[in-house]
Amino acid sequence: MPRYKSKINDYEIVWFDQGVIDHYNKHISKLIIDKFGKGPFDSFDTTNEILFFLNNGFIDQMKCFLASEKSLAFYQYVQILHDNSNEIVMADNFNEHFDQISSQQFALYRRILRFILEQSTYIELVFAESLEIAKKRVLNFLEELIHIGYRLFNISNLIASQQLIEDAVEIFFNHENLYIIDYKHHYNAIIDQINEETRSHLEKAVKDNKAGEDFADAMEKCFGISFRDINREVKAMHQNQIENDNEPYPCAGGFDLHSLIDNLSHNSNVSYEIAEKIISGLIISKRYSVFFSRKCLQSTIN
């Protein structure tokens, strides 16, 4: 149950261990054998069918896992983990915090957390426990969820490779009847070379040091309101939660968005409609989220 602590502050990441990997390898291998046999899988169409079988299976499992978890505190914890990851990216110091996973794995980890948060907008959440209780309860669950997301991204990449380089992927079983997916023939060397050429892009996030300043200037020019005004109102609502000892602080789900918009409008001298438009663009909501299966397809294409 890996929950890794930062070497320099209180940040943490949740990852999966070898036990989870071994369990899924055995389970998936049995599913493939039961449906398709042990091969050999020589045709492009059969390989494609197996890849999409795995892809759809992981999507269904992710959806079922998330549908079963309605605790607001769980998603609050995921939000905190995602916020921590954002701060690490902005500081560009991942290796100072963690050495248990690679920077490429960390990039996928961040995307999986974001997916989980987006899909929470389709679930009717309930406040049934504190954050600290949820963090202890959901560790195994979150570890498995992240592992499913990680496999799903890998399968999506294999599907993309299979389409871009026709019949580049092969599927076979080892002497323990465990499935192996690899690139055929000389394609491994090509993929390795591509990965080596693009390694710096995978290891480092693209960051514009003036992005925050430029965004704030553009917002003030467009809406007549500064980013500082928004920070002020959000901090005021957080402070109100603290002073009244209200859960679920610091989760945005505990906010009265109407009051936030109303306060922003009144204290910044802009219309309610403008304040509502700004806040709506800064939150994760069902209106602006894509359901998981479509999101995965977009990731494969892009």
Side-chain angles (χ1 to χ4, degrees):
M1 297 183 293
R3 177 187 279 153
Y4 300 127
K5 302 289 185 179
S6 166
K7 293 179 286 187
I8 60 177
N9 60 20
D10 61 351
Y11 292 164
E12 61 185 31
I13 57 176
V14 175
W15 199 245
F16 47 87
D17 61 18
Q18 189 61 43
V20 175
I21 297 172
D22 292 342
H23 169 75
Y24 271 85
N25 282 343
K26 292 177 182 178
H27 177 65
I28 294 167
S29 296
K30 185 177 185 307
L31 290 176
I32 295 174
I33 291 173
D34 288 347
K35 185 172 179 63
F36 299 97
K38 294 177 63 177
F41 309 115
D42 297 325
S43 73
F44 172 83
D45 289 339
T46 302
T47 300
N48 257 7
E49 189 177 352
I50 296 173
L51 290 176
F52 277 99
F53 169 73
L54 296 178
N55 185 74
N56 294 336
F58 286 132
I59 289 174
D60 288 343
Q61 189 164 18
M62 178 74 83
K63 287 159 60 177
C64 288
F65 267 46
L66 291 174
S68 71
E69 182 54 73
K70 303 183 187 305
S71 171
L72 177 60
F74 166 72
Y75 295 97
Q76 176 184 3
Y77 180 40
V78 173
Q79 177 71 62
I80 291 170
L81 292 173
H82 189 263
D83 287 346
N84 289 349
S85 75
N86 287 340
E87 292 174 11
I88 290 172
V89 168
M90 292 304 296
D92 196 21
N93 63 347
F94 168 75
N95 291 325
E96 296 177 24
H97 290 273
F98 303 103
D99 54 18
Q100 297 90 343
I101 66 174
S102 69
S103 54
Q104 294 98 321
Q105 289 173 320
F106 182 63
L108 280 182
Y109 167 78
R110 297 183 64 240
R111 293 181 70 181
I112 295 166
L113 293 178
R114 174 73 184 190
F115 273 14
I116 293 172
L117 290 173
E118 289 183 350
Q119 300 317 300
S120 71
T121 63
Y122 293 89
I123 302 169
E124 190 70 30
L125 303 180
V126 295
F127 173 56
E129 59 189 342
S130 69
L131 174 61
E132 291 307 313
I133 290 175
K135 287 171 68 173
K136 295 176 183 178
R137 177 183 64 82
V138 303
L139 183 56
N140 287 341
F141 175 80
L142 184 55
E143 176 187 2
E144 191 166 353
L145 197 58
I146 290 171
H147 178 255
I148 294 169
Y150 187 76
R151 283 192 183 251
L152 183 53
F153 271 113
N154 286 335
I155 290 294
S156 297
N157 287 334
L158 288 166
I159 290 173
S161 298
Q162 182 78 340
Q163 306 307 313
L164 291 171
I165 311 172
E166 185 172 336
D167 204 23
V169 176
E170 63 178 340
I171 302 170
F172 57 95
F173 292 87
N174 65 13
H175 66 282
E176 296 179 326
N177 281 336
L178 296 177
Y179 84 104
I180 296 172
I181 302 181
D182 202 355
Y183 290 102
K184 286 184 177 180
H185 316 304
H186 54 282
Y187 291 124
N188 250 327
I190 295 173
I191 297 298
D192 287 345
Q193 183 63 34
I194 293 173
N195 288 340
E196 186 62 33
E197 293 289 336
T198 61
R199 184 171 303 279
S200 61
H201 301 289
L202 298 173
E203 291 177 346
K204 296 282 187 179
V206 176
K207 186 180 71 171
D208 182 349
N209 290 328
K210 291 188 62 182
E213 181 181 334
D214 290 343
F215 177 72
D217 290 343
M219 175 175 285
E220 189 159 9
K221 181 179 180 180
C222 183
F223 295 108
I225 190 171
S226 74
F227 203 62
R228 291 184 296 275
D229 294 331
I230 300 171
N231 286 337
R232 179 194 66 228
E233 299 303 332
V234 172
K235 286 179 180 178
M237 295 202 72
H238 277 307
Q239 189 61 36
N240 181 65
Q241 296 276 353
I242 295 172
E243 292 174 354
N244 291 284
D245 195 27
N246 289 334
E247 285 280 7
Y249 176 80
C251 180
F255 280 7
D256 176 358
L257 282 179
H258 172 73
S259 295
L260 176 60
I261 295 168
D262 197 47
N263 291 345
L264 181 62
S265 171
H266 181 268
N267 296 330
S268 304
N269 296 316
V270 297
S271 69
Y272 184 90
E273 290 73 21
I274 290 293
E276 182 179 34
K277 183 177 293 187
I278 292 170
I279 296 301
S280 296
L282 295 176
I283 63 175
I284 298 175
S285 69
K286 186 187 298 185
R287 181 179 178 185
Y288 300 109
S289 296
V290 177
F291 200 60
F292 197 79
S293 55
R294 185 177 172 194
K295 192 80 172 180
C296 292
L297 179 61
Q298 288 179 344
S299 297
T300 303
I301 295 172
N302 294 337

